[in-house]
Amino acid sequence: MSSNAITLIVLVVVFAGMLAFTSRARRRQAQRTQAQAAQLTVGSEIMTTSGLYGTVVARNDDDTVQLSIAPGVEVRWAVAALRDVASLPPQYQPDLTKAEPAGRDDHGDGAGPTS
């Protein structure tokens, strides 16, 4: 065999190996995405890829969800643009069990109780 034939065989083997690894990685990523989408149910606390937190209030047939981002405010987002809050690093997970900060009253103006 000539050195050109050996070089060609090596290149074909390397190319085939790269194709095998990338297709496997794509399949794994697709499985993870499907699993995450299956866990996305009404009431799920999520964060969008742009950092907006919300609660899923409805799933639509066109791969979108309705998010409640404030009382009375609902927005529509693509499922692909959502991150599960549990998948975020701890410093970005909101502490949903934390009590109201000291000094806040029921009106949210921070004035505290009046005497």
Side-chain angles (χ1 to χ4, degrees):
M1 280 192 161
S2 70
S3 66
N4 287 340
I6 293 173
T7 303
L8 182 61
I9 291 171
V10 168
L11 286 175
V12 168
V13 168
V14 168
F15 184 70
M18 288 174 51
L19 282 177
F21 284 124
T22 57
S23 68
R24 202 169 128 204
R26 273 183 274 154
R27 272 194 309 264
R28 257 188 275 150
Q29 179 63 35
Q31 287 174 342
R32 275 188 292 234
T33 303
Q34 287 176 345
Q36 182 180 359
Q39 292 176 351
L40 195 63
T41 60
V42 172
S44 296
E45 293 286 329
I46 56 90
M47 184 182 90
T48 66
T49 54
S50 60
L52 180 71
Y53 287 89
T55 303
V56 176
V57 293
R59 284 197 63 147
N60 304 321
D61 294 333
D62 61 349
D63 286 333
T64 62
V65 294
Q66 293 295 119
L67 298 180
S68 174
I69 58 173
V73 180
E74 292 183 3
V75 292
R76 186 173 136 196
W77 282 79
V79 172
L82 303 179
R83 291 186 65 178
D84 182 11
V85 172
S87 71
L88 298 173
Q91 67 265 30
Y92 298 112
Q93 291 183 6
D95 187 1
L96 301 174
T97 61
K98 192 185 295 184
E100 285 282 320
R104 279 190 73 126
D105 64 351
D106 291 337
H107 306 314
D109 61 5
T114 57
S115 319

